[in-house]
Amino acid sequence: MIRKLTDCCSIEDIPGGDKKFRFSGRLDRKSVPAIIEAALKSMHANPPSKVTADLSGVSYLDDFGVLALERIREAAAESQASFALEGLGAKAKEILALFRFDERKKREAAKRRRKPGLMVGVGRATIDQLLDLRFQVAFVGSVLLCCLHLMLHPRSLRWEDTLESMKKTGADALPIVALIGFLLGLIMAFMSSVQLKQFGANIYVASLVALAMVRELGPIITAIIVAGRSGSAFASEIAAMKISDEVDALYTMGFDVTRFLVAPKIIAALLVVPILSIFANLFAILGGLTVGVLMLDLTAGAYMDQTFKSFTAFDFWFGLFKSAFFALVIAWMGCLRGFQARGGAEAVGKATTSAVVSSIFLIILWDSIFAVIIQYWG
Amino acid sequence: MSEHTLIKVYNLTAGYGEQAILEKVSFEVYREEIFAILGGSGCGKSTLLKHMTGLIPPISGTVTVCGVDVHQSDQDSYRRFLRNIGILYQSGGLISSMTLAENVALPIKEYTPLKEEEINYLVEMKLEQVDLKGFEHHLPSEISGGMKKRAGLARAMALNPDILFFDEPTAGLDPITSAEIDELIIKINRSLGTTMVIVTHELQSIFRLAKRVIMLDKMVKGIIAEGNPHYLRDHSGNPAVRNFFNRISTSHNATHESRS
Ligand SMILES: Nc1ncnc2c1ncn2[C@@H]1O[C@H](COP(=O)(O)OP(=O)(O)OP(=O)(O)O)[C@@H](O)[C@H]1O
Ligand SMILES: [Mg+2]
């Protein structure tokens, strides 16, 4: 009795528990999945004692076809049945040899990557952290050496790169910094005026905006914007160069990689971020002034008077210092994460994310530390 | 003649944007043959390959595969075309976030309803073919340049397509591995009847593999020779072509002479 299983495969049940698969036509990726399913089903339904596969009608066979034969052979082995091939043409023999069908008598299970246990995981994470720390220390060292060298030989800095970096980090960021500063001032003035109005203390809106911006928010907001815009750009640029062997190429050409890639970025950031934060402050004060004049019946003169009375020179310089410090953190983290990238394209993405996250975290952390120091010092 | 033609490139002017790299190129690739595209570095071999697979629209001219114009066809037929070809890119083109096994499994998973276990078996066979057994779970960044090439080869062949395009399959491999790859290409071509279009400048590969070649030239911006490589080596009227093919013979002669 012959039954048709699929277009390319039929099965003959020979009395006595034998099965004979007759294949015909093309055994390729289109026909094979159906064949495997049907063949295995029929073999599970009533396990044979002897299985033969007849390939005499096959016009095309590739590794998908070999897979079908292999599955049938496996199923036969499961039910202790013997397996034989029939009707092999020269071509079929060649293909079976090409895909080493005969050597594959017993198929070894695919070795999977074992999931590491908890202890192994903890150990690996610790080692990774230590290696990261070592890398950071080495990086600090090389940057310091580089700074020393630059102080002695200022000409060896790549000035064009530095100017380019200054433009990208500073001038290009000005519109967004100004806009956010302005809106921040507007919001702060508006929100505080709701409270201060009740005491008739409208004029202190000016103090609040000015002091908050100059001491805290100006540097922080600027730093966060720069981290997002330029920290990420530093990281992705260096990471992309790292994974495509460009960094190694520079190194073997005898360049000091730190001086070539890192110094221009750090110096550019150090110079422009404080300036950006001054702009953020100015625009925030402008935002506060807009609310004060339009909604709180203050005169522009009185508002500006109050503004300059409310913070000291120390506050101003301290804000600038923090800005410069944050700039260092951003450029630092951007370059460091870039250099740590290894692997393929996705390493660039990882480096970028990690640079932005670490620098924002460090910015907030150091801001708190500065706040505590000032508290006890001042 | 025309029923043997599988790929027909007609009056193709190829390039990027307005800038033409190749001008008015016409040739045909026949069914089940191994066809090689030769030429010096930067003469537009990879560019031609990208046009033949429809990745870049031509400035003018047509590329027809199995009677379907690759550049004018609608989405569906272009997708069907892509399923029937395999491409090995010059730099491998492996997905860097996936292991070699996952890379090879990718097209099989997408286009067949096979089960995980069966796909693993196929992947194992493919990687064994290119001698990468044991590297299933490595990422592309963890293997050598030549191994990337071989893994790319395994992935290009994953679905046993009708046409395989290879951009320098053996460049950067040692002579023994490259001979093995050539051997594999010949075996696949003979046993599965796959048409192969190969870009290469390895002379040994050319003589081993190709029955027919075209040679491109940067200055001419087109084809300067077409035909059997052995014939071109000995009888081409163009000295540039003879020189290209004879590099290997002269070095052979030199070693013979120095030995005797
Ligand atoms: N994306 C691109 N945009 C513009 N021009 C390109 C682009 N890619 C390549 N070219 C130009 O096309 C020309 C041919 O490049 P192609 O990559 O095709 O050369 P090739 O023959 O494959 O060389 P090789 O043997 O070195 O791989 C080169 O002159 C190159 O400048
Ligand atoms: Mg190329």
Side-chain angles (χ1 to χ4, degrees):
Chain A
M1 182 187 63
I2 297 178
R3 275 181 302 134
K4 198 165 167 140
L5 290 177
T6 73
D7 284 346
C8 306
C9 172
S10 55
I11 186 168
E12 184 180 355
D13 285 310
I14 299 165
D18 294 0
K19 274 184 198 297
K20 185 165 188 175
F21 288 96
R22 285 178 202 279
F23 295 101
S24 60
R26 291 173 65 88
L27 297 187
D28 60 8
R29 67 169 194 265
K30 294 189 188 109
S31 60
V32 159
I35 293 177
I36 291 180
E37 206 183 317
L40 291 188
K41 210 162 110 199
S42 84
M43 288 182 68
H44 286 309
N46 62 27
S49 59
K50 182 165 170 251
V51 180
T52 345
D54 182 358
L55 295 179
S56 50
V58 172
S59 63
Y60 173 94
L61 176 72
D62 61 18
D63 50 349
F64 286 84
V66 174
L67 173 69
L69 296 178
E70 173 66 27
R71 295 293 283 173
I72 292 171
R73 181 165 68 179
E74 260 176 25
E78 258 169 47
S79 51
Q80 319 284 330
S82 64
F83 176 84
L85 287 172
E86 256 182 38
L88 288 178
K91 196 139 191 183
K93 270 188 190 141
E94 196 177 311
I95 292 166
L96 289 177
L98 182 63
F99 293 107
R100 303 187 195 159
F101 183 69
D102 288 329
E103 295 166 32
R104 222 178 278 276
K105 279 279 171 341
K106 179 136 180 46
R107 186 181 158 219
E108 60 234 82
K111 285 156 252 124
R112 308 209 131 260
R113 218 180 228 186
R114 272 187 305 137
K115 274 243 157 59
L118 179 68
M119 288 311 281
V120 178
V122 170
R124 283 219 182 113
T126 314
I127 292 173
D128 280 351
Q129 285 301 318
L130 287 177
L131 286 178
D132 184 52
L133 195 67
R134 196 178 81 169
F135 195 88
Q136 297 215 23
V137 170
F139 192 63
V140 170
S142 82
V143 171
L144 283 181
L145 278 179
C146 171
C147 287
L148 210 66
H149 180 89
L150 285 178
M151 263 187 253
L152 298 177
H153 314 272
R155 273 161 185 282
S156 62
L157 180 65
R158 295 172 53 84
W159 285 104
E160 304 94 68
D161 284 5
T162 314
L163 283 177
E164 180 67 27
S165 263
M166 282 170 74
K167 175 178 168 292
K168 281 191 196 145
T169 312
D172 293 353
L174 187 58
I176 182 77
V177 167
L179 180 67
I180 289 183
F182 181 79
L183 292 176
L184 209 59
L186 214 68
I187 295 164
M188 267 197 292
F190 187 72
M191 295 307 291
S192 56
S193 72
V194 176
Q195 304 295 321
L196 292 172
K197 235 181 195 168
Q198 297 174 3
F199 310 105
N202 282 350
I203 190 66
Y204 289 107
V205 166
S207 307
L208 193 137
V209 172
L211 193 61
M213 282 306 289
V214 170
R215 272 185 65 157
E216 282 296 330
L217 289 177
I220 287 214
I221 288 298
T222 313
I224 288 178
I225 294 171
V226 173
R229 281 186 86 256
S230 304
S232 57
F234 295 164
S236 60
E237 183 191 328
I238 293 182
M241 294 180 75
K242 181 78 197 290
I243 62 167
S244 54
D245 294 342
E246 287 173 50
V247 171
D248 291 346
L250 283 174
Y251 183 76
T252 47
M253 278 189 282
F255 288 101
D256 177 350
V257 176
T258 316
R259 179 147 37 93
F260 201 94
L261 293 174
V262 181
K265 297 186 172 58
I266 290 188
I267 290 174
L270 272 177
L271 291 179
V272 297
V273 175
I275 301 177
L276 276 180
S277 95
I278 294 179
F279 274 107
N281 296 342
L282 286 179
F283 277 89
I285 290 169
L286 193 66
L289 183 70
T290 313
V291 172
V293 171
L294 294 182
M295 298 177 62
L296 306 174
D297 300 327
L298 299 171
T299 64
Y303 187 96
M304 290 314 288
D305 247 11
Q306 184 63 29
T307 295
F308 288 115
K309 261 194 277 176
S310 52
F311 63 89
T312 59
F314 176 78
D315 290 328
F316 175 75
W317 288 115
F318 186 60
L320 280 195
F321 164 75
K322 280 208 292 196
S323 254
F325 187 84
F326 295 157
L328 191 66
V329 168
I330 293 164
W332 186 272
M333 271 305 161
C335 298
L336 177 77
R337 294 299 181 221
F339 278 116
Q340 281 174 328
R342 74 189 34 136
E346 101 276 15
V348 178
K350 255 193 225 157
T352 312
T353 311
S354 155
V356 175
V357 172
S358 337
S359 42
I360 291 182
F361 169 73
L362 286 176
I363 288 165
I364 306 284
L365 180 73
W366 276 100
D367 194 59
S368 331
I369 294 174
F370 284 135
V372 173
I373 292 174
I374 284 298
Q375 187 67 31
Y376 287 101
W377 184 18
Chain B
M1 174 101 152
S2 70
E3 81 238 38
H4 292 303
T5 305
L6 187 61
I7 307 176
K8 187 177 163 83
V9 174
Y10 182 69
N11 254 350
L12 180 77
T13 299
Y16 301 90
E18 287 297 288
Q19 181 206 4
I21 308 282
L22 296 169
E23 279 168 359
K24 300 226 180 257
V25 174
S26 302
F27 62 92
E28 289 178 353
V29 179
Y30 304 142
R31 226 169 259 283
E32 308 201 354
E33 78 170 337
I34 300 183
F35 181 84
I37 299 172
L38 322 178
S41 182
C43 70
K45 303 182 298 291
S46 302
T47 307
L48 180 58
L49 212 56
K50 281 182 189 160
H51 281 81
M52 289 172 78
T53 50
L55 286 176
I56 305 177
I59 295 172
S60 68
T62 56
V63 176
T64 335
V65 178
C66 296
V68 180
D69 186 329
V70 175
H71 296 282
Q72 301 299 326
S73 60
D74 55 285
Q75 276 281 314
D76 276 350
S77 42
Y78 184 60
R79 275 173 180 277
R80 220 164 321 137
F81 162 73
L82 286 183
R83 220 168 301 168
N84 285 323
I85 65 170
I87 309 175
L88 167 64
Y89 294 95
Q90 190 162 12
S91 48
L94 298 169
I95 314 282
S96 64
S97 55
M98 295 183 176
T99 62
L100 298 194
E102 286 165 342
N103 261 293
V104 178
L106 195 63
I108 308 181
K109 252 183 202 151
E110 188 65 26
Y111 293 122
T112 66
L114 290 172
K115 291 192 202 65
E116 179 90 25
E117 195 187 347
E118 287 152 4
I119 293 177
N120 284 343
Y121 183 80
L122 281 170
V123 168
E124 202 182 295
M125 271 199 276
K126 292 285 181 198
L127 287 176
E128 199 178 84
Q129 293 268 296
V130 293
D131 210 6
L132 280 177
K133 205 173 165 154
F135 291 93
E136 289 88 352
H137 300 303
H138 283 60
L139 289 172
S141 55
E142 297 167 344
I143 58 174
S144 76
M147 289 158 87
K148 272 183 216 167
K149 264 256 140 101
R150 286 185 273 150
L153 196 67
R155 191 182 67 180
M157 298 189 308
L159 291 173
N160 297 317
D162 299 334
I163 312 170
L164 277 167
F165 293 93
F166 295 131
D167 198 344
E168 308 202 358
T170 52
L173 298 181
D174 65 283
I176 295 174
T177 314
S178 94
E180 278 169 10
I181 297 271
D182 288 345
E183 198 71 10
L184 177 65
I185 289 176
I186 293 172
K187 267 189 197 158
I188 299 267
N189 167 264
R190 212 178 37 212
S191 55
L192 304 184
T194 314
T195 308
M196 313 258 184
V197 176
I198 301 177
V199 165
T200 182
H201 28 218
E202 305 275 311
L203 281 167
Q204 297 197 329
S205 291
I206 296 166
F207 288 121
R208 254 196 306 253
L209 294 176
K211 293 279 169 307
R212 245 158 40 84
V213 305
I214 56 170
M215 190 166 166
L216 302 178
D217 187 82
K218 204 173 183 169
M219 294 290 122
V220 181
K221 290 195 175 178
I223 299 174
I224 53 170
E226 177 169 2
N228 183 289
H230 295 279
Y231 181 82
L232 289 177
R233 176 184 59 191
D234 302 330
H235 305 291
S236 170
N238 187 334
V241 177
R242 276 202 315 273
N243 281 347
F244 181 88
F245 283 112
N246 279 315
R247 264 186 330 206
I248 187 170
S249 316
T250 41
S251 64
H252 258 316
N253 290 346
T255 48
H256 276 300
E257 277 159 24
S258 66
R259 228 181 277 146
S260 56

